[in-house]
Structure formats: structure tokens, C-alpha cells
Amino acid sequence: MGDSYITLVPERAGIDPAEQAAMEKRMVGWMQENGWIERGKSDCVFTEGGGCRFTPSGSLHMAGGTDRGLSTYGFGVQKHDGKGVFTNLKGGLESAHCPACGKDVERYFYDMVSDWYEADGFPPVKCPLCGAASDIRNYRLDPLWGFSRIGFEFWNMGPLTPEFVEEFTAMPGEPVRVVRAHI
Ligand SMILES: [Zn+2]
């Protein structure tokens, strides 16, 4: 079985570096003060720069589970300078429905994302079937992806409880997407 992680991705696509840094500090501090992650960074995640290992009380609080003794088992913050796309990785998309015409454009979606990624700013993305341009975040994706410059990664943690996601969301004070990925 490979590793998997859940990323909580803010809904906003553009979050500048100063705000990213402040958000990272606030969220890591909050998790540490609650005793859900260790104080020091270690090699417990595949996130660049390392992360903080979950504590037993953190496992229980966030996912109602217990530490299975995995070496990769922690919290990391993924930041992007330009645009960030958080995908489900292994397995890819099942479907991508256009918010305007409702048709499945999954087979075009990787190219659409790559055009969006290369473009300046955060332009709306044209549906190849109906021509309507929509915000990339409004395409209905299964599994869900996130589009933001920052994401909070939970490595090899079982499904996060809805209560914890709600609690987490209250901290940045904005909606987050729950993106599941397997590598
Ligand atoms: Zn369409």
C-alpha cells in the first residue's frame, strides 16, 4: 500500500507570500499548542521542508484513530509562489463537469489546467464543449482538487473527522477543500 495524504486547501487561489507565511505560522502554532503535533520538525512527511509528527492525542482528536507507527505520519505545509494545484495524483480524475453546460470535460481538463497554470493571473477557463468561461475552481471534479497557493497536508492520517475540518476552517477563517491524494 502506498502513502496517502489529505490536504486542506483554502478556496482562494491567490494568497500572497506574506499571508502564506502568516497562515502557516498560525496553523502550525495552533496545532502545536493543542498538542496535536510535535513541536520540532522531522522527516515525517514528503512535504518540502519537513513537517511535524502527529501525537497520539492528535491522531485521536483529528481522525478518531491511533498511530500505526508509520515513519511517514505528520503535518506539513505546502506553499507555492505562482499557482498551486492540489490533485488526487494516483488514479487521476474520474470526471470534470463544466459548471455552465454540465458536460464531462475530464479528457480535456489536464490541458485546461495547464493553460490556466501558464497564463498570467487567474483567468477563467473556457469549456471546450460549450465555450463558456468559468473559474477553474467551479468545474465539478471527482475526486476533488484544490487550487490555491497553500495547502495543509496530513500524511497517512485516516479520514479527518468533519468536526476537526470545521474546527480547522475556523482558524484561517475561510472555506477549505478536503483533497485526498495517493502516491
Ligand atoms: Zn461547458
Side-chain angles (χ1 to χ4, degrees):
M1 208 178 83
D3 293 295
S4 67
Y5 60 101
I6 297 166
T7 311
L8 298 183
V9 185
E11 200 50 52
R12 270 187 305 147
I15 296 179
D16 68 37
E19 198 183 349
Q20 285 176 35
M23 220 185 233
E24 174 178 20
K25 201 169 165 222
R26 188 159 77 244
M27 299 316 289
V28 170
W30 176 69
M31 303 259 294
Q32 286 174 336
E33 275 155 34
N34 280 291
W36 298 331
I37 57 173
E38 290 179 351
R39 292 263 167 195
K41 275 193 171 182
S42 59
D43 200 15
C44 60
V45 296
F46 289 115
T47 319
E48 203 184 314
C52 302
R53 192 173 175 85
F54 300 126
T55 63
S57 69
S59 309
L60 195 64
H61 181 83
M62 297 184 274
T66 49
D67 187 341
R68 289 174 293 150
L70 298 168
S71 57
T72 301
Y73 190 67
F75 178 72
V77 181
Q78 180 71 53
K79 291 177 288 183
H80 296 278
D81 291 337
K83 295 186 183 105
V85 181
F86 295 85
T87 78
N88 62 310
L89 298 175
K90 198 171 165 186
L93 277 178
E94 294 280 324
S95 62
H97 288 93
C98 166
C101 69
K103 288 187 181 126
D104 186 1
V105 296
E106 179 274 325
R107 64 185 182 281
Y108 310 105
F109 200 70
Y110 288 84
D111 287 338
M112 291 158 67
V113 169
S114 131
D115 289 347
W116 174 81
Y117 191 87
E118 297 300 330
D120 290 331
F122 300 92
V125 176
K126 238 183 198 175
C127 166
L129 299 181
C130 74
S134 305
D135 191 305
I136 191 104
R137 297 167 303 167
N138 293 342
Y139 284 85
R140 296 196 309 275
L141 309 178
D142 180 28
L144 188 61
W145 288 8
F147 302 90
S148 187
R149 283 177 173 160
I150 190 165
F152 301 92
E153 298 179 344
F154 296 76
W155 281 88
N156 286 330
M157 172 70 93
L160 299 171
T161 67
E163 292 78 18
F164 174 71
V165 173
E166 202 174 302
E167 204 178 1
F168 189 96
T169 303
M171 285 300 295
E174 60 186 287
V176 295
R177 294 184 176 196
V178 181
V179 177
R180 292 179 179 80
H182 297 271
I183 57 171

